[in-house]
Amino acid sequence: MASIGIVGAGTAGLHLGLKLLSHGVSVTLYAEQDPAKLREGRLPNTVAHHPPTRARERELGVDHWSGPSADIRYVGIHVNGPQSLSMRGRLDKTSIFVDYRLYQPRLAEDFVARGGRLEVLPVDGAALEGLSLKHDLMVVATGKNGLTSLFPRNAELSPHTRPARLLFAALLKGVQMEEPPGMNANLVPGQGEIFESQVISRHGRVPSLLVEALPDSELAVLSTQRYDADPRAFEALLLDRLRRFAPTTYARVNPAEFGILGPLDWLQGAFTPVVRRAWAPLANGRFVMAVGDTHVTNDPVAGQGANAASASAFALAARILDALATDRPFDEGFCRAAEEKMWAAVAPATHWTNALLQPPPPHVVDVLVAGSQEQRVADAFANAFMVPENILSACASPESAAAFITQNRQANRDVPPPEAWQIPEEAVTPRAVVR
Ligand SMILES: Cc1cc2nc3c(=O)[nH]c(=O)nc-3n(C[C@H](O)[C@H](O)[C@H](O)COP(=O)(O)OP(=O)(O)OC[C@H]3O[C@@H](n4cnc5c(N)ncnc54)[C@H](O)[C@@H]3O)c2cc1C
C-alpha cells in the first residue's frame, strides 16, 4: 500500500493527512510534540476559517465547533482617520474563529481515530532523508519556521524583505461581544490595523484582538513592550490605543474588567511574508514537497494563511491521489506540476494580502465609501472580503470597482434592511463551546 509521510501536525499537515486517509492512503504524521500539549501552551495565533475552508472541513468531517453562537455573521469595516467611515456587511456564508489550542489537537485525534499514524518526532534534515526512504513521498508542513531552508525563496513572488507589520494578539475579558457574532476591522492610516473578533476557546466564546502595527507607529509599542513585565501598565496602554484607534470596540469595554484573559492568552512577534519553492531534492535522490506556511507565509492582515494552507493541502492531495492512481513516480516532474496547482490555489490569498498591506488606492476607497452609504454594497463587500478571488476581482481596477458598486446597488432590492445590532447583557460572559 502507498504510504505518505507528513512532517508537522499543523493545519496544512492535518488537512492533507485527513484528506489522503479518506481516500484509503496510508499516512504517517511526524509531530515535533504531542499535539495534546498545545492545549496548555501559549496562544499561537487568532485564526479565522472562511467559507471555502469550512466547506473542506465539512467534507473532512471535522467541523466540530460551528453553531449560531459561534459562526461569524457580520463584518464591520471602519476607517479611523481624518476621514472616517464605517460599514457593516452581513455574511451569506459564515466564518469561524477557533483557538488553535483546541482545533489542532482535536483534528490530530480525528486523524488517529481514522487510522492515521502519528509519531512524536522533531524531524531535521538528516531524519527527513531517512524518512524519505520509508515513504513514497515526504511532505514538509512545518509552518513558517521549521525546515524552511530546504525550499529557496522565490524573489519574484516575495516583495517583502522585512516584516510589514508588528503583531500583538490576545484573548480578552471585559469587552462586550456583539450579537450575533461579528468581527470588526479597524483600518487606521499611518498606524496599521486592529481586528476585533470572537474566538471559540476553552472558556467558550471570548473576545479577541489582533493588532497589525506599522513599524514605528504608535501601535507598534504593543508588539515590543512586554506584557508580563507589568500587566496593568500594558493593559492601560492597550486601552489607550483602542480608545484612539478602534472606537467601536472601545465603546464596548468595561474598564473595570478589561484585560488579557489568561497569562498565556497573548502573543507578540513579527515575520517576513515569503513565497518559497514548493519542492526540494534530497541528497539521496528523493524529492520532498512543502505545503502551508512552509511554502507560502502570508502576513495575517487578510486572515488568509491557514485558509491558503488548507486549500493548498487539498490541491496537493489531488495530485498525490492522481499520481498513485496512475502509478506515476514522485519525481521532479511530479513536484513541478503539483507546485503549479498549489500556487494556483493560494496565489489570490497572497496577492490580496500584499494588496492590503499597502494604502488602498482611490477606487477601493470609493467602494468603502459606497459600502458605508448602502447596505447592499456593504454586504457584497463583506462577502467578497472573505474570498480572495472575489475581493481581488472587485478591487482590481477603477472599472471593476465601479462595476462592483453598480451591480450591488442594483441587486436584490427586495432584501430587507439589516437587523439591529443587539448586545445582550450576558454577552460579555464567556459561553459554553457550541458543538
Ligand atoms: C497572529 C496571527 C493571526 C493569524 N490569523 C489568521 C487568520 O485569521 N486566518 C488565517 O487563515 N490564517 C491566520 N494566521 C496564519 C496561520 O496561523 C498560518 O498560516 C497557519 O497556521 C499555517 O499552517 P501550517 O500548518 O502551515 O503551519 P503551523 O500551523 O505553524 O503548523 C506547523 C506544525 O509543524 C510542527 N513542526 C515545526 N517544525 C517541526 C519539525 N522539525 N518536526 C516536526 N514538526 C515540526 C509545529 O509544531 C506545528 O505543529 C495567523 C497567524 C498569526 C501569527
Side-chain angles (χ1 to χ4, degrees), residues 52-63:
T53 302
R54 303 197 71 194
R56 286 187 289 274
E57 290 171 327
R58 284 191 291 278
E59 183 191 324
L60 293 175
V62 297
D63 181 19

Side-chain angles (χ1 to χ4, degrees), residues 168-431:
F168 165 74
L171 306 185
L172 299 175
K173 57 188 177 185
V175 182
Q176 196 165 16
M177 293 186 285
E178 288 177 319
E179 299 292 342
M183 62 169 277
N184 286 290
N186 295 275
L187 316 179
V188 194
Q191 295 292 337
E193 300 79 19
I194 300 178
F195 298 93
E196 178 219 343
S197 47
Q198 303 175 20
V199 172
I200 306 302
S201 76
R202 65 192 184 286
H203 302 292
R205 178 160 56 100
V206 298
S208 73
L209 205 67
L210 167 61
V211 177
E212 291 253 338
L214 280 160
D216 303 323
S217 68
E218 291 180 83
L219 286 176
V221 64
L222 295 171
S223 175
T224 52
Q225 180 167 316
R226 293 294 297 181
Y227 165 75
D228 38 8
D230 186 345
R232 296 291 81 77
F234 188 94
E235 285 164 357
L237 184 70
L238 181 57
L239 212 46
D240 171 75
R241 297 304 189 262
L242 290 181
R243 179 181 60 76
R244 292 167 57 203
F245 302 125
T248 57
T249 299
Y250 182 77
R252 285 177 282 106
V253 167
N254 176 350
E257 293 177 5
F258 178 77
I260 290 173
L261 192 60
L264 295 177
D265 291 333
W266 59 278
L267 71 85
Q268 293 172 315
F271 56 84
T272 304
V274 58
V275 177
R276 298 185 189 84
R277 199 175 67 193
W279 55 275
L282 299 179
N284 63 12
R286 309 298 300 262
F287 287 84
V288 293
M289 292 294 305
V291 69
D293 275 12
T294 313
H295 174 208
V296 179
T297 305
N298 290 311
D299 186 278
V301 73
Q304 289 296 338
N307 290 282
S310 165
S312 190
F314 267 51
L316 177 57
R319 302 312 302 168
I320 291 173
L321 292 169
D322 188 51
L324 291 175
T326 52
D327 213 14
R328 271 179 290 137
F330 292 109
D331 57 7
E332 185 174 332
F334 167 85
C335 293
R336 287 183 184 277
E339 179 182 44
E340 202 176 306
K341 296 287 183 195
M342 291 160 71
W343 177 241
V346 302
T350 298
H351 295 322
W352 169 228
T353 301
N354 288 338
L356 258 190
L357 291 169
Q358 302 300 321
H363 62 272
V364 174
V365 175
D366 291 345
V367 179
L368 293 172
V369 171
S372 72
Q373 295 167 343
E374 299 195 43
Q375 188 57 44
R376 288 175 186 87
V377 177
D379 292 345
F381 192 78
N383 282 291
F385 198 84
M386 302 307 186
V387 183
E389 291 83 342
N390 298 349
I391 191 76
L392 276 174
S393 65
C395 296
S397 65
E399 293 74 26
S400 65
F404 180 83
I405 295 170
T406 308
Q407 279 158 17
N408 289 297
R409 268 185 185 145
Q410 287 165 354
N412 303 322
R413 289 213 168 269
D414 54 343
V415 172
E419 61 204 87
W421 281 62
Q422 295 157 357
I423 308 170
E425 256 332 287
E426 71 275 11
V428 78
T429 313
R431 294 181 176 180

